Amino acid sequence: MDAKVHENEIIKGSSNFLRGTLRKSMADELTGALAPADAQLCKFHGFYQQDDRDLRQQRQEQFLEPYYSFMLRARLPGGVCTPSQWQTIDAVAQRLGNGSIRLTTRQTFQYHGILKRNLKPLIQQINKAMIDSIGGCGDVNRNVLCNPNPLQSQLHAEVYRWARRISEALLPQSNAYHEIWLDGERIEGGDSEPLYGDTYLPRKFKTAVAIPPSNDVDVYTNDLGFVAIAEQGKLLGFNVLAGGGMGTTHGDTSTFPRLADELGFVEPRQIIAVAQAVVAVQRDHGNRFSRRHARLKYTVESMGTKRFRREVERRASVSFTPPRPVSFEHQGDRYGWSEGSDGNWHLTLYIENGRIADLPDAPLMTGLRKIAALHRGDFRITPSQNLIVAGVPNQLKNQIEEIARRHGLMQQRSSIRLNSIACVALPTCPQAMTEAERCFPEFMTRIEQLAGAYGLDEMGTVIRMTGCPNGCARPFVAEVGLVGKGPGSYNLMLGGDGRGLRLNRLYRANLKEAEIVAELERLFKRYAEERLDRECFGDFTIRAGLVPAVVNPAEDFHD
Ligand code: SRM
Ligand code: SF4
């Protein structure tokens, strides 16, 4: 292997298909941590080693090792689970996690604060409920997103089945997970990774399936995207997109967010071959020297879209036809009850920051436990960290609503709050430069007051905050993006279009919260006075010349 490749390539290549020394690390009772190489490999098994950053200094002063614990992320294609699976998810959080469940921006759930000794029992318990964490993280395909709101029930069911198939087709084949965590039998010399190879992908890889007119999955921000094309509720095929991504590094202009390019249209039966071909091109052409430049978006950028498309066509033995016209109307979720075409009802609940816990004024966890006990449909986690109680027959509607209301799951919220999201950030995220989840509710209260003062609180502007520029709440496609820059300070980004079709751009750097509020007050005032009929805030910021639109992010995102 080339000596200059990134050290993670060596770790992967010599791991014996993701086994490394994980068993030994787990058995070592002298530390709450894993050996450094295993702390990389464990991501492929769905968990991260973390330490409580609030306690770092205190522990250092007491000459103690950091307070290590683990975050586990499940694989849940399209965010769908049954009520009985929900009951397990809940029980495991109480017994082996920190008592809360965190819904994520990729339609799954995370447990935080798992002690090393509890990892194996936790993985075993969720697996008994038929939920695994394979590829929850790591340099492989991650949880596959799929529009979760089944208004057109049959089309949704069909598209969801394709999302599951993609997830299965892109799963790593190593038996290591079963051996290490589920005490499965060892396959002597039998392991191979026909798709990924022994060094897997150069970097994480993300796939989403959208059903227009909703762009709730932010399909253009994914490495690989499929946009369902239907006529009168019948699925004809998918437009295929490639090369989207959010992560950037402050001060490094060679990194940038990017929206995926359209490769073309294919029929449903062709999409698995196409997905595998896109992965294979990334496997063979992605950058294995610099992880900062290793995502598919840089591969597409350096190969050029035409060559990339040809290579996918060749490997998948397909010919793309021109992409079909699509029209997306909004990002985010639509709340409350909606009726599916099959006569069942779906209740979308706003879960602030995706954090499910028994809060002093809102026992969310207990409420959902009670709903799970009588619900016969399914639960769907949305890409905006919310939850849908889906497939409720008419006769259970009132009962479920009554429980939801009594447990604070249906509080009155402004549209501007309902359209906002924040990432986890402190205290668990090692990359966080500042707060997000913990400060966001109060910050949004100030923004609500501000918007209310100008009659804009129901305008539903998309506001997203992250504790660093990795972009976990997809802030670069928000109308207002707040991207952590340093303790208590954020870059204020403007110019998204509320549909996830345009990147935003830096408006003011390094602002403290009070400065952000003051800036937004000026901007909201102008918007209230000057906006055109039905013009969203993001479009206004471009038309008013507050920021120029990003056309080619490789060239102009950092201008
Ligand atoms: Fe993320 C890393 C949390 C969605 C881009 N992300 C992390 C880590 C694991 C920090 C780390 O490197 O150790 C965070 C763990 C925090 C914690 O304590 O839980 C973390 N990411 C999250 C979640 C939980 C945010 C949330 O509030 O919901 C989301 C989990 C999704 C899931 O279920 O799989 C989450 N992360 C995203 C998204 C949004 C998406 O995928 O739709 C992005 C932007 C899209 C993209 O990938 O380009 C995203 N996360 C990153 C990056 C930057 C990657 C890059 O290309 O530069 C990192 C850092 C890295 O990979 O080195 C990162
Ligand atoms: Fe952590 Fe940054 Fe992701 Fe927020 S955006 S969870 S701070 S990596």
Side-chain angles (χ1 to χ4, degrees), residues 43 48-50 71 73-74 102-112 135-137 142-143 145 203-204 206 217-218 221-223 244-249 291-292 295 297-298 353 355 383 385 422-425 427-432 437 468-475:
K43 299 178 187 175
Y48 285 78
Q49 178 175 306
Q50 302 185 320
M71 175 272 275
R73 187 183 287 163
R102 179 57 155 74
L103 308 185
T104 76
T105 52
R106 290 197 73 77
Q107 288 186 290
T108 184
F109 64 91
Q110 291 184 173
Y111 296 120
H112 288 101
C137 334
R142 303 284 185 94
N143 201 43
L145 298 185
R203 204 62 163 88
K204 54 172 67 164
K206 299 183 174 181
V217 298
D218 279 327
T221 66
N222 283 261
D223 296 85
M246 292 277 96
T248 66
T249 305
R291 285 181 70 81
R292 214 177 254 192
R295 292 291 294 273
K297 62 184 173 184
Y298 300 111
N353 294 322
R355 184 69 68 179
Q385 307 164 333
C423 73
V424 178
T428 51
C429 179
Q431 315 260 2
E437 177 180 327
C468 85
N470 281 325
C472 298
R474 300 184 292 269

Side-chain angles (χ1 to χ4, degrees), residues 27-171:
D28 183 353
E29 290 175 6
L30 290 177
T31 169
L34 306 175
D38 294 331
Q40 294 302 322
L41 291 174
C42 70
K43 299 178 187 175
F44 292 79
H45 299 252
F47 61 93
Y48 285 78
Q49 178 175 306
Q50 302 185 320
D51 73 284
D52 188 330
R53 293 183 56 183
D54 287 348
L55 299 180
R56 254 188 209 173
Q57 195 172 343
Q58 183 193 333
R59 304 270 302 181
Q60 211 172 5
E61 283 162 10
Q62 293 169 338
F63 301 103
L64 295 170
E65 74 170 11
Y67 189 71
Y68 290 117
S69 67
F70 294 85
M71 175 272 275
L72 181 129
R73 187 183 287 163
R75 181 174 71 97
L76 208 63
V80 179
C81 65
T82 64
S84 105
Q85 285 176 322
W86 184 268
Q87 285 168 325
T88 301
I89 295 168
D90 171 339
V92 166
Q94 312 298 331
R95 277 202 296 270
L96 301 167
N98 69 358
S100 80
I101 300 167
R102 179 57 155 74
L103 308 185
T104 76
T105 52
R106 290 197 73 77
Q107 288 186 290
T108 184
F109 64 91
Q110 291 184 173
Y111 296 120
H112 288 101
I114 312 164
L115 298 178
K116 190 162 94 172
R117 64 171 179 275
N118 287 336
L119 262 173
K120 190 166 172 177
L122 187 150
I123 294 174
Q124 293 190 336
Q125 290 189 22
I126 59 169
N127 272 271
K128 267 196 200 140
M130 309 295 285
I131 298 174
D132 64 61
S133 56
I134 302 173
C137 334
D139 296 342
V140 289
N141 182 55
R142 303 284 185 94
N143 201 43
V144 175
L145 298 185
C146 180
N147 174 291
N149 200 351
L151 286 178
Q152 295 165 275
S153 314
Q154 268 180 337
L155 176 66
H156 278 86
E158 195 178 352
V159 172
Y160 166 66
R161 277 198 297 277
W162 281 111
R164 286 196 67 98
R165 279 179 213 154
I166 296 168
S167 175
E168 296 302 319
L170 302 185
L171 259 190

Side-chain angles (χ1 to χ4, degrees), residues 209-506:
V209 187
I211 305 180
S214 171
N215 191 18
D216 52 357
V217 298
D218 279 327
V219 67
Y220 292 91
T221 66
N222 283 261
D223 296 85
L224 172 62
F226 293 97
V227 180
I229 306 295
E231 241 173 45
Q232 285 158 3
K234 193 177 159 353
L235 182 67
L236 301 181
F238 295 87
N239 283 351
V240 182
L241 316 171
M246 292 277 96
T248 66
T249 305
H250 286 312
D252 182 347
T253 54
S254 67
T255 66
F256 48 87
R258 187 178 193 279
L259 297 182
D261 297 326
E262 284 181 322
L263 299 185
F265 173 85
V266 290
E267 289 175 28
R269 62 184 171 84
Q270 297 171 306
I271 69 171
I272 300 299
V274 167
Q276 290 180 327
V278 171
V279 166
V281 178
Q282 165 68 348
R283 177 196 64 205
D284 297 344
H285 293 268
N287 185 331
R288 291 189 186 260
F289 299 85
S290 159
R291 285 181 70 81
R292 214 177 254 192
H293 304 100
R295 292 291 294 273
L296 182 75
K297 62 184 173 184
Y298 300 111
T299 313
V300 173
E301 197 67 41
S302 67
M303 285 177 82
T305 312
K306 272 193 192 153
R307 191 177 142 220
F308 184 84
R309 181 188 292 117
R310 273 201 308 273
E311 192 59 24
V312 173
E313 286 183 320
R314 187 182 69 77
R315 291 180 190 234
S317 304
V318 302
S319 295
F320 289 112
T321 56
R324 303 287 170 91
V326 286
S327 166
F328 285 111
E329 288 170 8
H330 57 85
Q331 295 167 289
D333 295 325
R334 297 295 169 262
Y335 296 89
W337 288 106
S338 56
E339 189 178 8
S341 54
D342 60 358
N344 280 326
W345 291 84
H346 315 291
L347 176 62
T348 305
L349 302 169
Y350 170 69
I351 309 288
E352 189 150 58
N353 294 322
R355 184 69 68 179
I356 296 179
D358 275 342
L359 308 172
D361 57 341
L364 308 180
M365 204 137 182
T366 304
L368 288 169
R369 192 176 306 139
K370 288 183 181 167
I371 292 176
L374 72 118
H375 181 40
R376 296 289 165 265
D378 53 39
F379 287 101
R380 295 170 188 210
I381 300 168
T382 81
S384 295
Q385 307 164 333
N386 296 310
L387 192 65
I388 303 178
V389 186
V392 178
N394 210 16
Q395 59 273 26
L396 277 184
K397 210 175 147 224
N398 288 345
Q399 221 175 326
I400 285 184
E401 177 165 340
E402 198 266 323
I403 298 173
R405 287 199 184 283
R406 218 162 7 99
H407 293 81
L409 286 156
M410 288 183 78
Q411 296 177 44
Q412 192 65 34
R413 307 283 198 180
S414 67
S415 303
I416 200 165
R417 189 183 292 265
L418 291 173
N419 268 348
S420 65
I421 34 179
C423 73
V424 178
L426 294 169
T428 51
C429 179
Q431 315 260 2
M433 296 169 174
T434 186
E435 300 280 352
E437 177 180 327
R438 290 198 294 199
C439 72
F440 200 57
E442 244 177 78
F443 171 78
M444 281 309 297
T445 302
R446 296 189 68 185
I447 299 304
E448 271 172 337
Q449 286 161 356
L450 204 66
Y454 294 101
L456 302 173
D457 45 343
E458 291 311 314
M459 67 188 175
T461 299
V462 176
I463 302 184
R464 295 178 176 179
M465 176 185 273
T466 55
C468 85
N470 281 325
C472 298
R474 300 184 292 269
F476 301 115
V477 283
E479 288 174 88
V480 178
L482 296 163
V483 177
K485 185 77 196 296
S489 70
Y490 301 83
N491 283 352
L492 171 57
M493 320 287 299
L494 297 179
D497 64 357
R499 293 177 293 155
L501 308 181
R502 188 171 62 219
L503 290 170
N504 58 22
R505 184 198 281 263
L506 181 66

